[in-house]
Amino acid sequence: MFALFIKVISTQMYYVKMRVEKSAIPNITAALVPFVQNTTLKVDDLKITTNCSVGVGKSVKVCTCKPSFRWSDGVCQQSGQKCCGGSCTFPNATGMCVSNDAVTVSGSITLNRLEYYQCLHEKTSKEFKKCDGTLLEAMKAVYSTMPGFDTLTISKYRVGSVIADFEMTFAYPIKQQSLIENSEGISSNLSASVNLITSGVVRLIMPSQNPVCYHDKPILRCTVEDDLGTQPEWQLERAGTVFRIFNGTESEVTREARETNVSLKNISELWGGEYTCLYRKIGELVNINHSASAVMNVSLLPEIQITMTPPFPRCSNNGDVVTVKVKCEKNNNESYEVKWNQSHLIETDDAYSADVVASCHNPQSKPIVMCTFQNSCGITKPASTDVNIIYGNDTFCRPEGDWKDTKAGFEAVLKCTNATGQRKRKCSTDGTWEAESSACVKQQVNDVLQKAKIIDIGLGSVDDNAAKVFDLLQDVTNDSETINTGPDIGASVSVLSSLSQKLKNITEESTVDDFLESSSNMLEESLNKSWAENVTMDRMTSAEIYLDSLEKLIHITNLSNAPCKHNNIEAAQSHCQQSSECHPLLFNSSVIFDGQDPGDVKTAAFKELGNYLHISNETFINSIVMTVRTENKLVGPFKVRINFTLTKPRPRNVEITCVAWNNTTRSWSPEGCKWDPSEKRCICTHLSSFAVLMSKAPLDVPGLTQLTLVGLSVSVVSLILTIAIELTVWGSVVKTDQSYIRHTAHVNICLCLLVADCCFLATPNKESCSRIVVLLKHFSFLSVFFWMFSLSSMLLHSNVFVFHTVSRKTYLKLSLVLGYVCPLLIVLITFLYYKNGAEEEYFYRDTCWLTYTRLLEGSIHTFVLPVGVIVFFNVFSMVVVIIKLLDHSATTNRYNDKEKKASVNVIRSVILLTPIFGVTWIFGFAVMLVDLTSGPIAYATHYAFTLLNTFQGLFLLLTICLADKMTREVLLKRLRRNAEPSVTDTDTGTTKSATR
């Protein structure tokens, strides 16, 4: 049977479609007479379109199209694309092929006149039939004048004003201009707007082979007879999603006057689906889409994963063989022919699994299993694995949780649950499990990553694809539980890395916001542990890739609208003038650019990021990380001044370094940056990401520890000698009240200083330091100065109040109160005030001494202020006493001369002790105020203080004992027991003889 297309010419022209037996073709004219009622009928242009033969059981017909004819779109769609390019099987009624040049036009007309609302009535109503007939007649009257007009039918009416959906067919090619003019005529006549979609104006030529083979490079060609005056578009519909096709890494679109091509490079499963070539003609009232569509399938190759059950088969003591089930799993739904190659393999009912039988008596022979997948194009892909058997005497790790028996020296692998990736665990050579390593990435995170990787292959525009990816990433990262592992953070960072390499700019405000919000979400403090895992990719950690990606993305992002402020990222863009503060504060830090006009300067600040970038164990990042980029290429020298707000206050003597991230060495580098202590800012001469690096420990003065130990050791020995000498000569030198007072003060000063020095020697490092030791030091040093205060008070009293004497007993009581009770009260109050001697509040463990924060802040002031007052009082007392002594008249009696000489001796003690302690602690005050980071002067001050402070015991020995003539003589005579001792009254200067 043949289907024929016949053009019949008489007084009118008719187009007739007939299904006839082959034998009836000679009598075709007679068959047409009843239809046209014209005996002068002439048949012209007889064409056979379809050839059909009777199939099995004579109930079906198998039909094929003749050359230059094709199956209509309706037949293709009804058959599910199965017969679009080949034979179709029909029950009873036969489909009919149409000319390759035939045109189908489907469309809709929107009617605004009230009379056409009757077309919305029931189809059986008179109103509907009249309205439908009127509209159909009006449309046919216009479109039937076009050459080749065949049919016009209205399929349905819809609400929206009144919308009529219709379809027309043309036997011949039509001219676009003619279609436009006729449609405009209808639009004018009916006060309507018309939307049309043509099929047949555009011809789509697909690859001859369908499905195309994986990794082929097919070319799709789209042609038109006339220049349609508009640029063509290519679309691909896959899994219900429509993608526009652009130039990309896997596609190339070329356009000429009447032809457009899509060349696909290295095709994959992403390119399978229905392709549409589309020309859009947009007018005021008439819109026409010329399109052609066809399906292209891809013969895929799978990703193969081999699993074994059990993963490490173990031979039993009495067994000769072990059986292992091997399964080759694929990642798609396509069917493959699978071949196995292994001599001891038993294939199962499942084509993708097999049983392997291995011997337990031949450890030298390791079974290897290989499965080979072959697709419909005949392309193969193999995958193989070793069967690692645990023999009788082999060491192995026993089951633990999810982990099964594993041979020593091998790694067990498990698929992630509800995630992509694998979990791995090594069984060490001694048969013990090592720590698990996981590369499990949650499915929603992996989905975003896969979309990020293909934004530039040509399916959709890069900018639109990137906007969708940023939107998805923002949704995923909003819940920190979704990215709470190292692999999840690594995958999220990989999304940013992929986008930074593919994008040229980011301009849409919503995309900018999604980009910064998702990047900020990744830096949430709750994710510290995830970042600490610092997953390594391409020898770079996640934090390094994150910073590198953000630097690039910030550079191409339009930040001009307003400062973008998020929890962990703030960014801004503005035009900087020379030497002006050109940005709003970002986390309380700002930038000043000093140089030639840089154009727009983009700055971004990151919280927490510095904690994840590699630094030495001796330092830490004490600021935000700030990235600075300029729009213009900079010519000539320039400076970037960054006013950082420190995360933690800088302790004294702790070095601060301004650093920039070096992308080459992937480390912080001080090159090109310096810290300005006066302005407390970083000054850098290049663009990068900047931060403030601070040492964890104060600067160490070279040799100071050794000098301290030597000095304290000498002092302790000297103080012991001084106390011993005082006790030895006590009875010979203590003759008057003033000498008693003086020597009592000397002994107590030595005792207090001895306790303090021993505390220092007992704490050679910070680990041995404790609050009790610091409390003893605090008390002992204060007591030294209060005993000096007691001595100078007695001196001032005896010289101002000449006729008022104080007994030794009274003086001793007053001295004990001043020397011990007053410092004890100060120390206890300070101890309690600073949270019971809490570390960092009352004392520093590093220095094992009192704290100093800033002026008038810190426990050190409870030592500094009393000492300062006492030193001032000592100086004042000496001045008053010296003036009093100089003003005494020459007629002063003998008693006054005697007292005068005694006062001179006391003054001498005060004058000698005041520099020993006063000058020493003046340098101590300087050490407290001068920072080691300020240079050589600070080091010199530390050396001077250490020398004076640690050798105080030696100075006391020299001044109290060896420099005192009376003490020296008595000591020498004690040593010369055979000589007659002579005793000198140190208070009167009189020498007396004594007989032992």
Side-chain angles (χ1 to χ4, degrees), residues 2 19 49 158 248 591 756 771 777 813 879 885 911 943:
F2 294 88
R19 296 185 182 89
T49 66
R158 295 180 283 123
V591 171
R771 67 186 70 186
K777 291 180 185 179
K813 290 179 180 179
V879 172
L885 292 176
I911 289 174
Y943 283 121

Side-chain angles (χ1 to χ4, degrees), residues 196-231:
L196 302 175
I197 300 175
T198 72
S199 175
V201 174
V202 177
R203 186 180 180 190
L204 177 59
I205 304 171
M206 300 296 287
S208 58
Q209 182 178 356
N210 194 10
V212 296
C213 295
Y214 197 67
H215 291 169
D216 272 2
K217 300 179 180 180
I219 298 176
L220 287 69
R221 180 173 291 107
C222 186
T223 62
V224 293
E225 293 294 329
D226 299 318
D227 187 352
L228 299 180
T230 184
Q231 289 293 323

Side-chain angles (χ1 to χ4, degrees), residues 416-423 438-450 482-483 485-492 535:
C416 297
T417 305
N418 299 324
T420 61
Q422 295 178 328
R423 298 162 55 199
S438 172
C440 297
V441 177
K442 294 183 179 65
Q443 189 61 54
Q444 54 266 50
V445 181
N446 186 65
D447 289 344
V448 180
L449 176 57
Q450 299 311 313
T482 308
I483 52 172
T485 67
D488 287 326
I489 284 289
S492 303
V535 176

Side-chain angles (χ1 to χ4, degrees), residues 719 722-723 726 729-730 733-734 738-754 784 787-788 790-791 794 811 820 905-913 916-917 956-957 959-961 964 967:
L719 290 170
T722 302
I723 294 171
E726 284 287 343
V729 302
W730 184 271
V733 297
V734 177
Q738 288 195 359
S739 62
Y740 175 81
I741 292 169
R742 181 163 64 90
H743 286 283
T744 300
H746 289 170
V747 171
N748 282 278
I749 287 171
C750 290
L751 285 173
C752 292
L753 189 59
L754 180 62
V784 168
W787 274 103
M788 286 180 60
S790 173
L791 186 61
M794 178 274 296
Y811 167 74
Y820 291 117
N905 285 328
V906 176
I907 291 173
R908 184 168 59 83
S909 290
V910 174
I911 289 174
L912 291 174
L913 291 177
I916 290 174
F917 295 105
L956 286 177
L957 175 64
T959 55
I960 292 175
C961 299
D964 185 81
T967 303

Side-chain angles (χ1 to χ4, degrees), residues 422-609:
Q422 295 178 328
R423 298 162 55 199
K424 297 181 179 180
R425 196 175 185 188
K426 180 78 178 291
C427 177
S428 62
T429 54
D430 61 355
T432 58
W433 286 109
E434 296 182 4
E436 174 185 337
S437 64
S438 172
C440 297
V441 177
K442 294 183 179 65
Q443 189 61 54
Q444 54 266 50
V445 181
N446 186 65
D447 289 344
V448 180
L449 176 57
Q450 299 311 313
K451 286 180 171 62
K453 289 179 178 179
I454 62 171
I455 67 167
D456 62 341
I457 65 172
L459 287 178
S461 72
V462 173
D463 291 340
D464 289 343
N465 290 342
K468 294 174 184 176
V469 170
F470 277 128
D471 182 52
L472 291 172
L473 184 63
Q474 194 258 357
D475 289 340
V476 166
T477 58
N478 267 341
D479 182 5
S480 58
E481 291 297 317
T482 308
I483 52 172
N484 61 353
T485 67
D488 287 326
I489 284 289
S492 303
V493 170
S494 293
V495 173
L496 296 177
S497 176
S498 179
L499 294 173
S500 70
Q501 296 169 28
K502 301 175 187 295
L503 293 178
K504 303 299 181 190
N505 54 67
I506 305 174
T507 56
E508 288 293 329
E509 188 173 347
S510 60
T511 305
V512 173
D513 189 67
D514 288 339
F515 152 51
L516 293 175
E517 178 68 18
S518 56
S519 301
S520 173
N521 291 340
M522 294 183 200
L523 295 178
E524 284 296 325
E525 192 173 355
S526 60
L527 298 173
N528 283 348
K529 290 183 179 179
S530 303
W531 280 100
E533 296 180 33
N534 246 339
V535 176
T536 301
M537 296 167 283
D538 296 329
R539 294 180 295 177
M540 293 177 68
T541 64
S542 298
E544 293 167 1
I545 296 173
Y546 178 92
L547 178 58
D548 182 63
S549 303
L550 264 291
E551 285 180 339
K552 294 175 182 176
L553 290 171
I554 290 292
H555 185 61
I556 63 173
T557 300
N558 179 16
L559 302 169
S560 60
N561 292 328
C564 304
K565 296 184 179 292
H566 300 270
N567 289 343
N568 300 296
I569 292 180
E570 292 186 359
Q573 172 181 333
S574 60
H575 191 79
C576 291
Q577 300 297 325
Q578 184 171 350
S579 300
S580 64
E581 191 160 341
C582 57
H583 279 300
L585 292 177
L586 302 180
F587 297 124
N588 296 320
S589 299
S590 61
V591 171
I592 298 174
F593 191 90
D594 186 4
Q596 297 183 14
D597 184 10
D600 285 340
V601 174
K602 296 175 182 177
T603 306
F606 309 93
K607 280 184 178 179
E608 300 295 327
L609 179 58

Side-chain angles (χ1 to χ4, degrees), residues 66-184:
K66 287 292 187 178
S68 301
F69 291 87
R70 60 181 171 81
W71 292 111
S72 67
D73 292 341
V75 172
C76 282
Q77 292 168 2
Q78 291 172 10
S79 65
Q81 310 291 342
K82 293 180 180 178
C83 61
C84 294
S87 298
C88 270
T89 301
F90 300 97
N92 300 322
T94 306
M96 194 169 193
C97 298
V98 298
S99 171
N100 285 337
D101 296 329
V103 176
T104 301
V105 180
S106 60
S108 64
I109 181 168
T110 303
L111 305 159
N112 296 315
R113 291 181 181 177
L114 292 175
E115 60 263 30
Y116 290 110
Y117 279 89
Q118 294 180 353
C119 291
L120 297 175
H121 289 189
E122 291 292 332
K123 289 185 178 182
T124 57
S125 67
K126 293 180 180 179
E127 293 85 356
F128 172 82
K129 291 179 180 179
K130 180 180 178 181
C131 176
D132 180 61
T134 302
L135 178 61
L136 189 60
E137 184 179 351
M139 293 178 68
K140 282 184 176 181
V142 175
Y143 284 121
S144 65
T145 61
M146 295 177 63
F149 175 79
D150 187 4
T151 62
L152 190 155
T153 57
I154 297 176
S155 56
K156 66 177 180 179
Y157 292 91
R158 295 180 283 123
V159 177
S161 295
V162 176
I163 302 174
D165 295 328
F166 63 92
E167 183 174 294
M168 297 185 292
T169 59
F170 294 86
Y172 297 145
I174 61 175
K175 299 292 185 180
Q176 176 184 239
Q177 190 58 36
S178 175
L179 183 61
I180 292 174
E181 290 173 355
N182 283 273
S183 298
E184 287 176 345

Side-chain angles (χ1 to χ4, degrees), residues 779-839:
F779 171 75
S780 299
F781 280 122
L782 272 180
S783 294
V784 168
F785 281 93
F786 272 97
W787 274 103
M788 286 180 60
F789 176 68
S790 173
L791 186 61
S792 58
S793 300
M794 178 274 296
L795 175 64
L796 184 63
H797 176 269
S798 62
N799 281 273
V800 175
F801 304 100
V802 178
F803 300 105
H804 183 273
T805 58
V806 179
S807 66
R808 294 185 181 186
K809 186 175 181 181
T810 302
Y811 167 74
L812 185 60
K813 290 179 180 179
L814 291 174
S815 297
L816 289 174
V817 171
L818 283 174
Y820 291 117
V821 176
C822 288
L824 182 61
L825 288 174
I826 293 173
V827 170
L828 288 178
I829 292 171
T830 304
F831 187 85
L832 295 173
Y833 178 80
Y834 286 99
K835 301 179 181 179
N836 294 325
E839 187 176 347

